[in-house]
Amino acid sequence: MNIGIVCYPTFGGSGVVATELGLELSKRGHQIHFITYSQPVRLDLLGKNLHYHEVNVPKYPLFLYQPYELALSSKLVDMVKLHKLDVLHVHYAIPHAYAAYMAQQMLLDENILIPIVTTLHGTDITLVGSHPFYKPAVTFSINKSDAVTSVSQSLKEDTLRLFNIKKNIKVVPNFIDVKKYRSEFTDCNRDKMATKEEKIITHISNFRPVKRIEDVIKIFYKVQQKLPAKLMMVGDGPERLPAEALVKKLNLETKVIFFGQSNEIDKILCFSDLFLLPSETESFGLAALEAMASGVPVVSSNTGGIPEVNKNGVTGLLSNVGDVDKMAKDTLNILKDEATLNTYKHNAKEASKTYDIYTVVTQYEAIYKKVLKTVVF
Ligand code: GMT
C-alpha cells in the first residue's frame, strides 16, 4: 500500500508512535510517505520505502497566524496525486484530521477517493481539542474520518464523553519493539552516572505543565532524604527553567541531571532503576511503556490511560494526581531492597511484551485494508 502519514515531527509521543509505525510498515513492504513540517525526530535514516515531504508555510506579513492547515491540505492533495497514495493516516486530531478532510473533499472533486484514518493521542482530545474554540471543528473532523482509533480505552471514553461522536472508535494501543529491548538488565555504564549505593530515578517528558514536573522534583527531594539517589531529567519544555530553579532552591544540584532532549533514551533507561510519571492527565504514557520495556518499574499517577499500562503492585505503583507523599513512599518501597526491585523490574519487562509492535502494526494494516474496501463516497 502507499500510505501517507501526517504527524507532529517533534519529541512528543504521537510523533514517536507515528514514526515507529511508519518505519515498521516500510519494513513490511509498504511505501510510507511522511507529510510533516520537518523531518520526524526518530526518522534518522531515509531507508527503503520511506519518503518525507515537507509542508512549507509561506510567511506573509498580513497574517498574524500563518495558515498551516491550508498548506497541509494542499500538500496532501499534491502528494496523494503524485504518489498515488491509497490511504492517509493522521496522528493527533488538531489540525491534521481537519486538513485531511479538506484534502479528501478537494480530491473528490477530481474523482480521486482517499480514505482517512485518524488516531487520537490525548491532548488533542482532553486538553486542546475540547476547548470551545476548537470543539466544533474537532467533532466534525473526527466524525468525517473513515476510521478512528484511540491509543487507550480511557481516551476512547474521554472522547465519547467530551464530543458528540457518531463514529465507532477502535482502541489500538501504543507499542514498543520488544526486539530492541532484549538485553537483560545490563550495566550500561551506570557508574558514570551514580555510585553503586545510589539508585537512579528517571523522568522523561516534554516538560509541559500537564507533566507536573514540580511533583517529580518534590518526590525526589523526599526520596533522597531516605535513600542515596540521583535524578535524571530528560526532555525540554516550558517547565524546565522553573524545575531547575526548584532544584537549586532545594540544594539538589549535585543530585539532579538535566539532559535536555535526547536521542539516547534507551541508554538512559538502561541504567535507570525507577521511572516517575506523576502527570495531571495522560492518555497512555508511552514513556512509561518504554521504561517498562527496559525493565524499569514506574511510579505514576492513576489518571487517564496510565492504569491500563502501569499495573498497580505489579509493574509499579499508582497514586492520585498530586499525592507526592505517597509517590515518594511508593518509590522507597520499590527501591528498598534488591529482591523487591528485581521483581518489579521483571514484571515491568514482561508486561511491556503485550504491547509489541508486531501485533499492533498488524491491527493498523487491517484497518487500512478495511477502509480501502468499504469506503464509498
Ligand atoms: O503529552 C505528551 O507527551 C505528548 C503527546 C503527543 O501527542 O505527542 O502525548 C500524548 O500521546 C502519546 C502517544 O499516544 C501518549 O503516550 C501520551 O500519554 C499523550 N499525552 C497526554 O495525554 C498528556
Side-chain angles (χ1 to χ4, degrees), residues 10-15 17 92 120-124 126-127 151 174 205-206 208 210-211 281-287:
T10 53
F11 278 88
S14 59
V17 169
Y92 209 88
L120 311 173
H121 277 274
T123 48
D124 49 348
T126 53
L127 286 184
V151 297
N174 288 332
S205 77
N206 49 19
R208 282 188 287 148
V210 69
K211 303 292 172 181
T281 162
E282 200 72 66
S283 70
F284 184 90
L286 181 63

